[in-house]
């Protein structure tokens, strides 16, 4: 039963949605043809959730203004057709009235569906539903060659379907995606379970992923926060339609602070499903503290509409453009700071090892934990030997995403990116991978070994033969 009891999209509404989408596709293609043949193709968008520098390009970009809406929701089939530049905020708003949600909803409202598929995404359902691209049924992709291809797991373009995740727009851009949806309940009941030892947390995490229960209670959502080596938490969520009071962390109260407690018993809480999905966005996890937003005297007067990740990102962009933070540090006689904004994955049995190393070597806290397992077991003879060759996690193996987003002081005489380089080396030593949305320092050979190698090269030849799009190494690592 849906949350609001609404029927599905009527045929007329579906046709109207697809007609508007076709008009947006026509504008997209016209803008592609307007880009000079010698110029790189790029999106004409001012905002981004990427934290690495983007190459300068004076040529006009692709017009994606008509690709920002949910085309149609089918609540009977539990699917949605979505334009590639649609944000998860818009997508969730369209599906929740039917009691449905995407299988994985990344934490920040302005992440786009196309961005989460080509650049990966994760959230507290990933321990049972994998990554966003694993619930994609088919995609329309504008390739570097200027063709729009419908790609599926088993058609003639199956290699692009498999190779698209983690390609970051270097093989093409999603125009339309058809995705699976799942039923949700109006509320999420939470238990915040405290651990005083990281190895006890690691063991509990592995068991919950396998059993999907904890203390005889079902677990539908699972993530965690580490504040220090002796204070860490797993947050266990359970879907429920039981009425009752709910918390609100869009006002004066701050979600991540609500997790902390001293008791041996879990701290319990409840949120609406909407507020649960966006619980991290109000304070950009905990990063809003850098702007003073968590100070009660400031928070009281900070407009609520600006308590969201997209606004904080604009402040970060201003800081990067004008070097505000480094100038303030210089006034205090301090060296510039190195940005350490990363998400990495390590096997669950190396989680405590990595977190202990990180807390010892990198002065950043808190850090976020999110377990994941691939949904797709793949086939041994598939190119690359794994289901998704550009981000080759092992099937039937539990990983834990560790997220940390801050900056550390630089040390005179050290190599540029010293902290990030140390993290990269440690993650590789622990048989893990790092997401590519932020600064990377890999050499070409190491990068190829980690992110697709010859499989990527062959995909690039087939779908972008004239190199209209940047290649993945140039986009993720090289600095212009």
């Amino acid at each position: 039963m849906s949350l609001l009891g609404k029927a599905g999209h009527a045929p007329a509404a579906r046709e109207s949605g697809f007609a508007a989408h076709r008009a947006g596709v026509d504008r997209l293609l016209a803008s592609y043809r307007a880009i000079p043949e010698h110029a790189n193709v790029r999106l004409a968008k001012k905002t981004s959730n990427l934290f690495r520098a983007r190459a300068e390009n004076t040529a006009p970009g692709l017009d994606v203004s008509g690709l920002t809406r949910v085309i149609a929701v089918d609540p009977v089939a539990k699917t949605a057709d979505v334009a590639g530049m649609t944000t998860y905020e818009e997508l969730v708003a369209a599906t929740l009235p039917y009691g449905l949600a995407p299988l994985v909803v990344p934490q920040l409202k302005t992440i786009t569906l196309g961005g989460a598929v080509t650049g990966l995404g994760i959230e507290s359902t990933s321990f049972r539903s994998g990554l966003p691209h694993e619930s994609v049924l088919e995609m329309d992709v504008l390739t570097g060659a200027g063709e729009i291809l419908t790609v599926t797991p088993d058609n003639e373009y199956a290699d692009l379907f498999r190779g698209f995740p983690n390609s970051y727009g270097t093989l093409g851009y999603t125009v339309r995606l058809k995705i699976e949806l799942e039923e949700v309940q109006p509320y999420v009941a939470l238990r915040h379970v405290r651990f005083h030892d990281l190895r006890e947390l690691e063991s509990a995490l592995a068991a919950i992923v396998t059993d999907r229960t904890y203390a005889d209670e079902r677990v539908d959502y699972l993530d965690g926060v580490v504040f220090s080596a002796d204070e860490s938490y797993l947050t266990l969520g359970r879907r429920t339609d039981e009425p009752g009071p709910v918390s609100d962390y869009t006002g004066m109260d701050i979600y991540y602070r609500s997790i902390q407690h001293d008791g041996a018993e879990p701290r319990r809480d409840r949120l609406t499903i909407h507020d649960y999905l966006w619980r991290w966005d109000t304070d950009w996890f905990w990063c809003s503290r850098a702007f003073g937003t968590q100070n009660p005297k400031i928070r009281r007067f900070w407009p609520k509409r600006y308590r969201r990740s997209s606004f904080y990102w604009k402040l970060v962009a201003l800081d990067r453009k004008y070097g505000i933070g480094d100038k303030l540090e210089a006034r205090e006689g301090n060296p510039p700071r190195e940005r350490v904004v990363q998400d990495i994955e390590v096997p669950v049995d190396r989680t405590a090892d990595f977190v202990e190393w990180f807390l010892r070597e990198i002065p950043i806290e808190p850090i976020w934990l999110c377990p994941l397992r691939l949904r797709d077991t793949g086939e041994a003879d598939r190119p690359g030997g794994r289901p998704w060759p550009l981000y080759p996690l092992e099937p039937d193996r539990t990983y834990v995403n560790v997220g940390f987003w801050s900056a550390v002081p630089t040390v005179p005489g050290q190599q540029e990116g010293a902290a990030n380089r140390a993290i990269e080396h440690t993650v590789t030593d622990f048989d893990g991978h790092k997401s590519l949305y932020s600064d990377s320092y890999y050499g070409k050979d190491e990068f190829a070994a980690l992110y697709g190698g010859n499989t990527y090269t062959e995909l690039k030849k087939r779908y972008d033969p004239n190199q209209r799009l940047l290649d993945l190494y140039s986009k993720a690592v090289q600095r212009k």
Side-chain angles (χ1 to χ4, degrees):
M1 181 176 180
S2 72
L3 294 180
L4 300 182
K6 293 177 68 174
H9 277 182
R14 288 181 61 86
E15 181 55 36
S16 174
F18 277 100
H21 178 67
R22 286 191 291 271
V25 172
D26 289 341
R27 294 201 297 275
L28 173 73
L29 290 173
S31 67
Y32 177 92
R33 290 190 290 267
I35 298 174
E37 290 186 6
H38 65 277
N40 286 128
V41 175
R42 63 178 181 83
L43 297 181
K45 54 179 293 196
K46 296 180 180 179
T47 61
S48 170
N49 284 292
L50 299 179
F51 272 83
R52 48 177 158 74
R54 294 191 289 175
E56 293 294 329
N57 193 328
T58 57
L62 295 173
D63 181 356
V64 293
S65 61
L67 304 178
T68 60
R69 59 179 289 170
V70 178
I71 302 166
V73 176
D74 186 337
V76 177
K78 298 178 186 174
T79 62
D81 285 275
V82 186
M85 296 298 297
T86 305
T87 66
Y88 273 92
E89 183 175 24
E90 294 291 335
L91 177 54
V92 165
T95 61
L96 279 189
Y98 305 116
L100 300 169
L103 272 62
V104 180
V105 179
Q107 314 86 345
L108 307 180
K109 293 178 176 179
T110 54
I111 293 175
T112 63
L113 181 58
V117 170
T118 193
L120 304 186
I122 192 170
E123 233 296 308
S124 60
T125 56
S126 290
F127 77 103
R128 57 180 174 82
S129 295
L131 302 173
H133 57 268
E134 296 189 89
S135 55
V136 175
L137 301 173
E138 66 178 33
M139 299 182 286
D140 292 341
V141 176
L142 173 67
T143 69
E147 302 175 293
I148 293 182
L149 305 177
T150 298
V151 304
T152 72
D154 53 10
N155 73 358
E156 61 184 305
Y157 307 117
D159 59 343
L160 181 57
F161 185 91
R162 292 289 170 184
F164 198 79
N166 208 47
S167 63
Y168 280 91
T170 64
L171 298 175
Y173 297 106
T174 50
V175 176
R176 177 191 62 90
L177 305 97
K178 186 172 185 176
I179 64 168
E180 298 176 68
L181 304 172
E182 66 175 7
E183 294 183 3
V184 293
Q185 295 290 335
Y187 307 103
V188 178
L190 301 178
R191 287 176 290 167
H192 303 303
V193 182
R194 178 166 180 171
F195 294 86
H196 298 273
D197 182 273
L198 289 169
R199 299 193 179 274
E200 291 180 5
L201 178 143
E202 177 184 283
S203 297
L205 190 59
I208 294 168
V209 170
T210 300
D211 301 337
R212 301 195 183 179
T213 62
Y214 180 81
D216 298 321
E217 193 172 324
R218 190 182 75 248
V219 177
D220 299 312
Y221 305 96
L222 174 62
D223 66 349
V225 178
V226 176
F227 290 91
S228 66
D230 57 5
E231 184 188 4
S232 57
Y233 301 85
L234 293 180
T235 294
L236 321 177
R238 175 177 56 84
R239 298 168 177 155
T240 178
D241 60 0
E242 301 167 6
V246 293
S247 297
D248 179 4
Y249 296 107
T250 64
M252 292 298 293
D253 294 331
I254 298 168
Y255 173 71
Y256 84 98
R257 289 301 182 192
S258 75
I259 294 172
Q260 295 180 275
H261 64 86
D262 294 325
E265 293 299 314
R267 181 182 184 279
R268 292 185 177 264
D269 200 356
R270 281 166 49 91
L271 293 171
T272 66
I273 179 61
H274 175 276
D275 285 357
Y276 176 79
L277 293 175
W278 302 129
R279 68 201 183 283
W280 293 119
D281 191 84
T282 300
D283 283 287
W284 209 5
F285 284 83
W286 32 79
C287 299
S288 67
R289 63 186 178 182
F291 310 111
T293 317
Q294 296 181 26
N295 183 326
K297 294 179 181 179
I298 296 175
R299 193 177 186 87
R300 186 171 290 109
F301 298 102
W302 192 287
K304 201 168 186 178
R305 66 184 180 276
Y306 294 143
R307 288 186 215 148
R308 52 181 289 143
S309 61
S310 57
F311 182 73
Y312 303 134
W313 204 100
K314 292 178 181 178
L315 297 180
V316 169
L318 287 173
D319 173 62
R320 290 172 59 184
K321 183 176 181 179
Y322 297 108
I324 298 171
D326 287 346
K327 290 176 182 176
L328 292 175
E329 292 290 342
R331 289 179 61 180
E332 299 295 324
N334 299 324
R337 296 175 66 83
E338 177 187 351
R339 183 178 62 200
V340 182
V341 177
Q342 305 285 357
D343 279 79
I344 63 94
E345 271 93 37
V346 291
V348 65
D349 57 359
R350 303 306 305 270
T351 303
D353 291 338
F354 178 81
V355 172
E356 287 173 349
W357 173 87
F358 186 88
L359 293 174
R360 186 170 63 248
E361 300 294 334
I362 311 294
I364 292 176
E365 55 76 27
I367 58 178
W368 185 58
L369 305 178
C370 188
L372 71 145
R373 285 175 69 90
L374 295 180
R375 292 178 76 201
D376 187 338
T377 57
E379 294 132 13
D381 60 352
R382 184 169 286 146
R386 293 172 180 176
W388 310 101
L390 269 62
Y391 203 76
L393 302 176
E394 294 284 356
D396 304 316
R397 189 179 193 184
T398 300
Y399 293 83
V400 176
N401 176 281
V402 186
F404 35 91
W405 315 290
S406 189
V408 299
T410 58
V411 177
Q414 279 192 340
Q415 192 176 18
E416 178 193 0
N420 284 282
R421 293 174 192 270
I423 291 165
E424 289 179 356
H425 294 155
T426 303
V427 170
T428 300
D429 288 345
F430 287 176
D431 197 22
H433 273 76
K434 188 183 82 166
S435 296
L436 298 175
Y437 69 86
S438 190
D439 299 310
S440 296
Y441 295 87
Y442 297 108
K444 279 190 174 183
D445 291 343
E446 183 181 13
F447 185 87
L450 291 170
Y451 300 103
N454 291 334
T455 300
Y456 176 75
T457 300
E458 293 304 314
L459 288 168
K460 191 71 170 169
K461 288 179 182 177
R462 182 179 183 189
Y463 296 105
D464 186 22
N466 296 320
Q467 301 290 306
R468 300 297 306 278
L469 305 167
L470 287 176
D471 70 85
L472 187 57
Y473 185 77
S474 296
K475 195 165 191 177
V477 181
Q478 288 183 341
R479 283 152 181 77
K480 301 295 182 181

